[in-house]
Every structure is written in structure tokens, then in C-alpha cells.
Amino acid sequence: MQKAIMASVLAITLAAIVSFAWGEAKMKITSSAFQEGGNIPSKFTCDGGDSSPPLQIAEIPSGAKSLALVVDDPDAPSGLFTHWIVWNISPQTNVIAEGSAPKGVQGTNDFGKSGYGGPCPPSGTHRYYFKIFALDRELDLSSGAKRSHLDAAMKGHVVAQGELMGRYSKRK
């Protein structure tokens, strides 16, 4: 019994060390439309044109085989709400133009649609995270898959990541 516990502790410690080592690989994701922690302009929300903001991606690891993009709202009343998921994006992609989707496979957001669904909080100010992941492989995931499927497919394959957070309060 004690050997099993020690083996588990050792495995967890080793996983934490490996995870920490991988965790040092950071990428940058920025937008010319808003700063980190700043307000997202209404043109990128349900109050405006609901088009995606321009995004720039930097410091992509040379060994990355693909990228995945996730936009979510952790402040949604129902819990984490996904606004956009795209995977199998070329690792050479360093710009996603305003109102466009990167070349890749689109998943189904929590609005029940494929593609970008902009911020649209029911009340108050919400935080929106634009997350980029560098992966060590392309994902074998069908178009239209949901966030839970993407998360499961990415598990153990993320070699670097970055995030940009913006805020939005719905107009009254």
C-alpha cells in the first residue's frame, strides 16, 4: 500500500515538473483593437457587427505542428461559455485579420453555431479570454466538435500557449 502511495506521489511530482517545464513555453496573442485587460470595442460584440477582432500571434515554437484558438467567457452565469473554437491552424499563422477566421477546422460554439460569436453578457462586465495553443500534432477531430472534445483531443499535446483578456459590458 505504501509503495503504491509513494509511486503515486512520485508520478504526480514528476508530472508537475514536466508540466512546469512545458509551461515555460509562452506565446503571445495580441490585438490592435484592444489592450490586455482593456475594453473590447462594441463592433466586435453582439451590440455591434459581431465580427472577430484582429489578432496577432507571436513566439510560436518552431516544433509546433498546429495551433488551436479558443475564445471563452468564464463569467457567464452558466459557467464557462465558449465563443469560438478553431483547430488545425497552420503554425505559420501569425495574423488573423479582423472579421475573418483562420484557415483551420471550426468547432461549434456555445451559441450552437460554427464561427465567432462575440461578447454578449446578460449583465455586468465580463472577461473574454482569447487563447492560443501550439500543439505537437494536428488533431483528428470532426468539424463542428464542441469545446469538451477539443480539450480532450489537446490533452498532452500542448507545447506552448498564450492568452489575451478583454472586457465587455453590454449596452443597455
Side-chain angles (χ1 to χ4, degrees), residues 25-88:
K26 299 285 185 202
M27 294 172 32
K28 289 187 181 176
I29 181 168
T30 58
S31 178
S32 57
F34 62 96
Q35 298 296 314
E36 169 65 30
N39 292 321
I40 299 171
S42 63
K43 73 189 265 185
F44 304 114
T45 74
C46 66
D47 289 327
D50 210 19
S51 66
S52 59
L55 299 170
Q56 296 80 42
I57 305 164
E59 300 179 23
I60 300 167
S62 60
K65 303 288 189 245
S66 70
L67 303 176
L69 174 67
V70 173
V71 178
D72 57 32
D73 170 7
D75 301 321
S78 60
L80 188 67
F81 192 92
T82 302
H83 287 258
W84 198 15
I85 55 174
V86 188
W87 60 91
N88 291 349

Side-chain angles (χ1 to χ4, degrees), residues 1-168:
M1 175 82 168
Q2 244 181 342
K3 283 185 181 180
I5 292 171
M6 288 303 291
S8 294
V9 169
L10 183 60
I12 290 168
T13 303
L14 184 58
I17 291 168
V18 169
S19 186
F20 179 75
W22 279 109
E24 287 189 41
K26 299 285 185 202
M27 294 172 32
K28 289 187 181 176
I29 181 168
T30 58
S31 178
S32 57
F34 62 96
Q35 298 296 314
E36 169 65 30
N39 292 321
I40 299 171
S42 63
K43 73 189 265 185
F44 304 114
T45 74
C46 66
D47 289 327
D50 210 19
S51 66
S52 59
L55 299 170
Q56 296 80 42
I57 305 164
E59 300 179 23
I60 300 167
S62 60
K65 303 288 189 245
S66 70
L67 303 176
L69 174 67
V70 173
V71 178
D72 57 32
D73 170 7
D75 301 321
S78 60
L80 188 67
F81 192 92
T82 302
H83 287 258
W84 198 15
I85 55 174
V86 188
W87 60 91
N88 291 349
I89 302 166
S90 166
Q92 281 73 47
T93 302
N94 54 21
V95 173
I96 300 170
E98 179 178 322
S100 70
K103 204 173 204 177
V105 182
Q106 298 265 351
T108 300
N109 61 33
D110 286 338
F111 292 112
K113 299 178 180 177
S114 177
Y116 177 80
C120 198
S123 64
T125 300
H126 285 218
R127 297 167 296 155
Y128 296 88
Y129 288 87
F130 292 74
K131 301 174 186 174
I132 192 74
F133 300 90
L135 307 172
D136 64 5
R137 68 181 186 119
E138 286 197 348
L139 301 177
D140 185 21
L141 212 57
S142 299
S143 175
K146 292 200 166 260
R147 171 72 181 272
S148 60
H149 297 113
L150 176 62
D151 289 344
M154 289 194 315
K155 188 172 183 153
H157 297 287
V158 176
V159 296
Q161 64 187 55
E163 71 178 29
L164 168 67
M165 187 273 287
R167 300 174 192 275
Y168 188 68

